[in-house]
Amino acid sequence: MTDAVHWPVPAPNTPHDLNQQLTFLREIDQLKQVNRNNLLTTNARPENTAEHSWHVALLALVAAPYFPKPVDIDRAIAMLLIHDIVEIDAGDHPIHLRHDNAAIAAKEEAAATRLFGLLPAAQGAALHSLWREFDTGTSDTAVFARSCDHLHPELMVMTGARASDKHIQIGVDNLATGRASRLKQTWPAAYDLLDALHRDQTATGPLADITAFIHQTDALKQVLRATPILSDPRQENSGEHSWHLAMFGLILSGHATDLSADTQAATIIKMLLIHDIVEVDVGDTPIHGSFDAAEIESQEQVAAARIFGLLPHKEGTELTALWQEFEAAESPNAIFAKSIDRAQPVLANLAQHGGTWPTYHVTREQLEARVAAKIKRGFPALWNAIKPEIDLWFANNT
């Protein structure tokens, strides 16, 4: 099998294109409200599809070197970020239930056509093609991405606390005869890992270390942020936020090309996948809240060392360096990534009638100093695109 679609796909970067892209990014926020059958590792609630998409992309980022065949890790991550977007229209379909597969396929294709059709034509067509490649498994990279998608829920069940007999049995059956059983052919080491976990045996080696990392980072899905999601007043969690930010990077990074020849979409996306992982230990720090910046920075450095230190040495070292680059905000990639990180909560607050701005008594001047400066530094066109909505809100609410 060969990879059919080159990645990254060059993205258009005109003001009209940006407006279309923002429409798409607002629309896909709805994925945060699609619940899956499996639970978080704490069993606190069902996992939603947005945070699943973040977590399985993160799994691909650290596990690709241990797949039996060479794969394009950047394209695999892109596939996994978009692979379940169609569930906005088509919903989730639990693996242990019977389904009309032909009807589901038709519904998902229609959803893909609608959603990717919101984007500029060339970009939408490229991502639609990438989605189909994943769905049909027509490249080694797609096989790897699908294998991660099959591996992830099994890890969730088998490393979760107090997993119910029902969910354990679903996992056992899935490994024996369901989708996860395909790992025996596509990724024998992953299959053997799951088999050991199912038998309550101790697993060792790189994939066992990666399993510990995935288990720990699942906690990010329970770290609540100050801002709401765009499609509902409820608070956003840092897992689904990380997915949305990575999608912002995937869709908007074409606009970064005028900053530096060194600006790379793949690096920006990876930064945004991991940028908030330290919140597993430290929690979220609202930008408009009151906090000791030096103390938070110190705590985050300790958290980064602990969490990335769970990984095999090479992957842990690389991700630590990438996270530190993001935090320093000195490279073109980090500056652009930071600008997106500041912009997404603004869109959420605007979508929810000001969101937390009234709660924190945010003034127009404070928003300019704390948020606008960073967006303008890395992505001035984005600030220009959202500024009229901001001006209108403050004009009507202050």
Side-chain angles (χ1 to χ4, degrees), residues 112-329:
T113 298
R114 182 186 79 82
L115 291 164
F116 294 126
L118 297 173
L119 289 164
Q123 189 177 35
L127 292 182
H128 196 159
S129 179
L130 199 66
W131 174 81
R132 285 197 189 107
E133 182 184 343
F134 170 86
D135 198 49
T136 55
T138 51
S139 67
D140 289 338
T141 295
V143 170
F144 165 67
R146 287 169 64 87
S147 296
C148 288
D149 193 35
H150 298 162
L151 174 61
H152 179 262
E154 290 284 309
L155 295 179
M156 296 277 286
V157 171
M158 299 316 298
T159 65
R162 304 180 304 280
S164 69
D165 291 343
K166 173 186 174 182
H167 280 85
I168 290 176
Q169 190 58 52
I170 291 172
V172 169
D173 293 343
N174 186 33
L175 187 63
T177 60
R179 297 190 314 172
S181 66
R182 301 170 193 168
L183 292 168
K184 196 167 189 176
Q185 284 72 48
T186 62
W187 198 354
Y191 179 89
D192 291 343
L193 170 74
L194 293 179
D195 185 55
L197 292 174
H198 279 297
R199 296 174 185 274
D200 291 324
Q201 296 176 348
T202 300
T204 59
L207 289 183
D209 295 337
I210 287 168
T211 296
F213 174 76
I214 291 299
H215 174 74
Q216 286 285 304
T217 53
D218 189 69
L220 199 64
K221 302 167 190 173
Q222 293 186 269
V223 175
L224 294 181
R225 295 167 47 79
T227 49
I229 63 173
L230 278 73
S231 51
D232 191 85
R234 75 159 173 85
Q235 286 174 277
E236 183 181 50
N237 71 65
S238 291
E240 61 194 356
H241 167 74
S242 296
W243 168 76
H244 210 187
L245 262 289
M247 283 299 304
F248 270 65
L250 177 67
I251 298 303
L252 299 177
S253 54
H255 295 270
T257 54
D258 61 340
L259 295 176
S260 167
D262 296 330
T263 302
Q264 299 174 4
T267 301
I268 292 167
I269 293 165
K270 289 173 186 174
M271 279 184 179
L272 294 169
L273 275 178
I274 68 168
H275 79 290
D276 273 346
I277 278 180
V278 294
E279 292 183 6
V280 167
D281 289 354
V282 179
D284 178 57
T285 305
I287 189 172
H288 299 298
S290 177
F291 55 89
D292 183 332
E295 176 62 22
I296 293 296
E297 181 181 354
S298 176
Q299 292 176 6
E300 289 183 343
Q301 291 290 342
V302 173
R306 183 189 77 80
I307 298 167
F308 294 129
L310 297 169
L311 288 165
H313 179 74
K314 182 175 183 293
E315 286 70 39
T317 300
E318 289 175 351
L319 291 197
T320 299
L322 191 64
W323 176 80
Q324 289 173 337
E325 181 184 348
F326 173 83
E327 286 297 304

